[in-house]
Amino acid sequence: MDLDLFIPVMAIALAVFACAISLVGARQARAEVMALREQYLKLARQLQAMEKKTATMISGSLGMGQRIMALEKKLREVSDQQHHYNAAESDFSYSQAHTMIDQGVDASTVAANTGLTVSEIELMELLHKTSRPAVYE
C-alpha cells in the first residue's frame, strides 16, 4: 500500500471510529437523560401524593382544633353553671341551718339535714347567740 493512500484512509477510519464512539456516547447520554426523566416523574408523583396527604392532615387538624375549642367552651359553661349551683345550694344550706337554729333544733340534727358539719353548726349557734340582744327579766 502506498503511503500517500494510507494516511487519508487512516484519517477516514479514525473519523468513522470517532463518529461511532460519539454515537455510542450520545446513546448512553440519551439513556441517562431518559432514566433521569423517569426518576423525576416518579419523584413528582410522590411529591404530589405527599402534598395531598399533608392537605388532608391539615384539614383534619383544623377540624379537630375547632372541635376542641368548642368542647373547652362548653366545659367552661358547665363549670360556671356548677359553680353557681354549688353557691346557691350552699346559701340554701346555711339559710336552712339558720332557720333550724332559730327553732332550737340541736346541732347534729341540723347537720344531718343541711349537709353542713356539726362544727359549722356549733359555730353558727355561737354567732347566733352573740348576735341576739340579751333579754333581761
Side-chain angles (χ1 to χ4, degrees), residues 22-34:
S22 66
L23 284 175
V24 170
R27 276 194 183 165
Q28 286 178 343
R30 184 167 189 228
E32 288 178 13
V33 166
M34 294 301 288

Side-chain angles (χ1 to χ4, degrees), residues 2 34-35 39 43 45 47 64 81 92 101 105 107 119 131:
D2 190 6
M34 294 301 288
Q39 187 178 9
L43 290 172
R45 285 190 298 269
L47 178 62
M64 189 61 69
Q81 288 173 354
F92 175 75
I101 289 170
V105 178
S119 300
S131 65

